[in-house]
Amino acid sequence: MTATPEPSRPATFDLEAAADQAIAACGGDAREAVRALLVAVDFLEAEAGELRTKVSKGYARGRLPAARTQG
């Protein structure tokens, strides 16, 4: 057993439907959908980095990956 289990997805997750939904949410503009998703990913990475600093090293026991650097 590994220290970090593989993330599981719901059995009903449909990548094509999710992509279509993201494009539809941006008025059918695929470029705008990609831009919105990149902004969302950047926000979530920043939030994860902030939370990572608040978790004690003893609690995490080295299981947390190092924060990514923006380049």
Side-chain angles (χ1 to χ4, degrees), residues 2-71:
T2 62
T4 55
E6 291 294 320
S8 62
R9 288 196 173 149
T12 59
F13 185 76
D14 183 7
L15 188 57
E16 292 298 320
D20 290 341
Q21 188 177 19
I23 293 170
C26 292
D29 185 353
R31 185 176 179 89
E32 190 62 32
V34 169
R35 185 177 310 186
L37 291 171
L38 288 172
V39 168
V41 166
D42 188 50
F43 170 78
L44 291 172
E45 284 181 345
E47 189 172 278
E50 183 179 325
L51 291 173
R52 194 176 289 117
T53 64
K54 294 179 180 181
V55 173
S56 74
K57 291 187 186 287
Y59 179 78
R61 296 188 189 115
R63 290 181 286 201
L64 294 176
R68 288 195 217 170
T69 58
Q70 298 286 328

